Each structure stands twice: as C-alpha cells, then as structure tokens.
Amino acid sequence: MCGYSQDLDQKSAFDKPKDGFPVFNSALQQKIILSVMESLPYDDKEGTEPLRLKDRAAGKYGDPLLDRKTFVREVFPLHHQRIRFKLTSEWAGAFFKPQPLPLIGEYFGEKYSLFFTFHGFYMSMLCIPASIGLCYSIARLLMADMTGSYLDNPLMPVMAIVISLWSCVFVKYWANLESAKRFDWDTMEFELEEAVQDLFKNSPKTVKSVLEDGTPNPDAQVNPVTGEIEDYYYDNGDWFPIPTFRARSQLVTFTVIAIINTFNILVTLCIWKFIARPIMGDGSNTSMVFVGGAVMGALSGILSFTIDCVMDGVPAFDFQGLMVKLIEDENWRTETEDEDANIMKTFFFKVVEKYFPLAYVAFMVNHVEVFGGVDYCPKWNCLPVVWAMFPALVITEICLNTAFTHGIPLVKSQMAGRDELSELRKKAGLKPLV
C-alpha cells in the first residue's frame, strides 16, 4: 500500500479500488474484523464457543496453560498508516486549518471527536471575552488618574454583565452544536442502545435472570415498560428514610469525599496559620510577603497533588485510586452512566480541593476566626499574597504531575533495561554492569 500524500487524497485515489467496490473506512474495517473473530464458525458441528476477547483475562478453565492455548492473549486493531499521516498533515501540523472532525471521529471514535468539537468551539468563543477584557484593561489604565486606582473602575460591573451574557450565549450555542453533531454522527440514541458493561454483568450485586447453574432466577426483575424479564438488574434504591442499594453506595462515596475535603481544609488552615503567615511578619517587608504567599501556594499544591494521588491513583506505580473503587461499588449499568457518575463526584471533590486555598486567602482570611484568632493578611491586604500564591500553586502541581507522569516511568524503563542488559551480559559470561 502506498503512503499518504495530499495530491492523491485530493483526487480520491484511496477511495477507488481496482474492483470498483466501495471500501469501508478504517474504523468499520476494524469492527468487521472484530465481529468475525468473536462470531461462531459457519456450520460448526462441534459446539465451539465464540472467541471472547473482552473476557480473555479471566480465563475459562482455571488452568493458566490451558487458557493460554485456548484464548487470544491480546488484540491490537490498527488503522491504516495513511489515516495517521493524513491526521498529522491536516490536524497536528496544520495550526490554521479547521479541525477535521469526521476524520478524528473515524480514527479515535465519536466520543473523542465530540471532545475536540467542544475544545475548538470553546477556544473560538473565548475570543469574545478576551477582546472585551483587553479593551477593559486598556480603559482601566487610561482612567487610573481619574479613579485613583488601577483596580477599582466604574466599568467593572459592565464587564461582569457582559461576561454573564456571554456565558448564557455560549451554553445555548453549544447545545445547538452538540445536537447537530449527534445527528450527523448518528449518536442520538447512543445511551439507549449502549451495551451493558462487563463490570455490571459480573458484579455480585447485579440480579441476573439466570443463575450460574442455568436455572431461572426467581428474584429476576420484570421491566415495567416492556413486561420482559431483565437479563441484568440493579435497583437505584431510595435515599430516605434509609439509603438502599445504589443510593447507599453513593452515600458512601459522598461521605468519603466530605471526609477528604474536610482533611484538606484543616491542613490548609494549619499551613496558613503556622507556616505561611509567620513568614510574612507585619507586612513591612514586601519580599517576605511574597515569599510567604509562595510558600502557601507551594505547600497547597503539594497537598492537592497528594490527595489527587489517593483519589485518582498513580499509574506509574499501578495504584488504583479510591474514586475508581467507589464508583465501581455503585455498580452502574453502562460505561456512560459510570463516566457520568465519576464526573459528577469528581467535580464535587475537586471544586473544594483545588479552590479552597485561594478562596480562603482571597475572601475569608480577614474575616473568619480559626483556631482561636483571625490571622489576617499583612496590613489587611491579601492581593499580594494571592499574586504570589497562585503561580506557586500551579507550578508546583505541574512539576509534580510531570515527574509522576513522565519522569518515574522513564526511570523505571531505564532501570528495567539496565537490569535486562546486565542479565544478558551475565549469561554471556561478561562482567555485569555496575
């Protein structure tokens, strides 16, 4: 097969096979191959079971050797090289071209294409508040002599109203664009037709229509709409007076989130009172005020990153986060329901974890009594503290995330390669590496 080139693609050369039969795109070819692999052989008289790629890790016979001979170990469906080259040419390397959303959907799937649709729409719509904000900033500088301050300006309420109106327009236009894309990509009924995930099928909480011995389950649930027995069912439960079923599991999740956020708040208050605030002194030394703010931001970033590791996990150490386990315990039927629950719980968790240190210093520290006193900002002015605190917090989290995401896997791979090389040298009778 020839490589990708724009000249051939513009002439639709890749879509003109020699036999004249229209070819399927790369994604459909993968689905067809996977369907063939998982289907029963035609006219099978030996009762051979179809290949279960999704359940291959669990095994069938309990014997690792037998399972290894019977099941496919891994399958990696790959697109044609020219599709990747085309994406590189028209997307990754084309900064001023519109995003090729249909091609992204074919290569990565509709879910990722919808994400990049939102990302492009969001970036485009940000030009409006950015332009207005630039004009406002220039006006604020020009009016500084009249107002006596670079911060206080009579145009600030106007700016707030404009941003509020922009946000309403943004939400409305995005809803229209999302509906249009769902129609174009034929995903209007996606959630209704979505398959039940294996995690839900295999959960001991799920009520199955057929027991393990093949007999009908007397506790099987009947669908109130269709009147048919549900193959897999789990009750959403009631919240009051006593939580039951899934509601009880969700209550456990919210309780854990509340405990973690309470811990985060208490530690943040201690960092401010016993570490950051004493560094600032009475505010006469401006440098020490900025140093104290930077220390507050850095320590808050370390605390936030540590909590993220506990809740979200650390892939570099194969550590699964607590949030994933809590969501799994809620036992959602489809992958979309599972993701929606994860997004909602993560939002409630991170909105406090990420923003409390900044909100506390900016709005509450001068007015809230903590641990027997009000530890106000130097000279009651918290703006310099926030100026130093915010970049320190962001930079600390970025550095830690980069180290754990890229640095640790790189070190582990180099150590593994070094150990493998030492073992090979040892087998060859050479001196091992020191």
Side-chain angles (χ1 to χ4, degrees), residues 21-329:
F21 186 80
V23 296
F24 296 105
N25 61 40
S26 184
L28 287 177
Q29 291 179 32
Q30 292 185 16
K31 292 180 180 179
I32 293 172
I33 294 173
L34 184 63
S35 176
V36 171
M37 294 180 66
E38 292 187 337
S39 63
L40 281 170
Y42 180 73
D43 194 21
D44 180 37
K45 299 180 180 179
E46 300 180 358
T48 305
E49 294 185 6
L51 184 64
R52 301 296 184 186
L53 298 178
K54 294 181 180 179
D55 301 331
R56 63 186 179 275
K60 174 183 175 184
Y61 302 103
D63 184 354
L65 182 60
L66 193 58
D67 286 331
R68 192 179 303 115
K69 292 181 178 179
T70 307
F71 291 88
V72 174
R73 192 169 184 84
E74 291 291 346
V75 174
F76 298 96
L78 301 176
H79 290 274
H80 296 307
Q81 285 277 37
R82 63 171 179 265
I83 302 296
R84 182 169 60 85
F85 292 149
K86 186 174 183 180
L87 278 173
T88 303
S89 174
E90 299 187 2
W91 184 36
F95 299 102
F96 301 103
K97 288 185 178 180
Q99 297 186 101
L101 296 174
L103 192 62
I104 296 173
E106 176 187 336
Y107 194 88
F108 296 102
E110 288 80 4
K111 180 168 66 174
Y112 294 95
S113 184
L114 184 63
F115 166 78
F116 286 108
T117 301
F118 175 79
H119 184 268
F121 176 76
Y122 180 60
M123 292 293 107
S124 301
M125 290 292 289
L126 279 179
C127 294
I128 298 175
S131 303
I132 297 174
L134 178 62
C135 296
Y136 168 73
S137 299
I138 295 174
R140 189 179 62 183
L141 294 175
L142 297 177
M143 298 173 64
D145 294 335
M146 182 178 65
T147 60
S149 173
Y150 287 103
L151 300 177
D152 298 330
N153 192 283
L155 296 178
M156 184 175 292
V158 178
M159 180 68 179
I161 293 174
V162 171
I163 295 299
S164 300
L165 294 175
W166 171 84
S167 62
C168 295
V169 173
F170 174 86
V171 172
K172 182 63 177 178
Y173 272 87
W174 167 245
N176 293 339
L177 179 60
E178 182 187 18
S179 299
K181 291 301 180 182
R182 289 175 62 189
F183 179 81
D184 292 341
W185 297 333
D186 194 22
T187 58
M188 299 288 290
E189 306 295 333
F190 172 76
E191 294 186 7
L192 297 177
E193 300 173 355
E194 189 176 7
V196 179
Q197 61 176 344
D198 295 334
L199 192 64
F200 182 79
K201 294 180 181 179
N202 300 327
S203 174
K205 295 183 176 182
T206 303
V207 178
K208 305 173 180 64
S209 60
V210 180
L211 300 175
E212 294 182 359
D213 56 3
T215 59
N217 188 352
D219 298 327
Q221 299 293 320
V222 178
N223 190 306
V225 178
T226 63
E228 299 179 355
I229 296 178
E230 295 278 3
D231 293 335
Y232 303 95
Y233 177 82
Y234 186 59
D235 198 337
N236 285 325
D238 299 319
W239 288 92
F240 301 101
I242 299 177
T244 58
F245 299 104
R246 183 175 289 128
R248 180 173 56 231
S249 299
Q250 293 191 77
L251 179 61
V252 172
T253 303
F254 283 119
T255 302
V256 172
I257 291 174
I259 293 173
I260 297 294
N261 281 337
T262 302
F263 171 78
N264 179 39
I265 291 172
L266 291 176
V267 176
T268 300
L269 296 178
C270 292
I271 292 173
W272 172 259
K273 184 177 183 66
F274 301 110
I275 300 178
R277 184 61 186 87
I279 294 176
M280 302 176 193
D282 58 0
S284 57
N285 190 338
T286 307
S287 300
M288 296 308 297
V289 174
F290 280 99
V291 170
V295 170
M296 179 68 185
L299 293 179
S300 298
I302 294 173
L303 173 64
S304 176
F305 178 78
T306 304
I307 296 176
D308 281 342
C309 291
V310 174
M311 296 296 288
D312 300 335
V314 184
F317 296 108
D318 297 326
F319 173 70
Q320 189 180 44
L322 186 59
M323 183 67 77
V324 176
K325 298 179 181 178
L326 292 171
I327 299 300
E328 286 181 359
D329 188 65

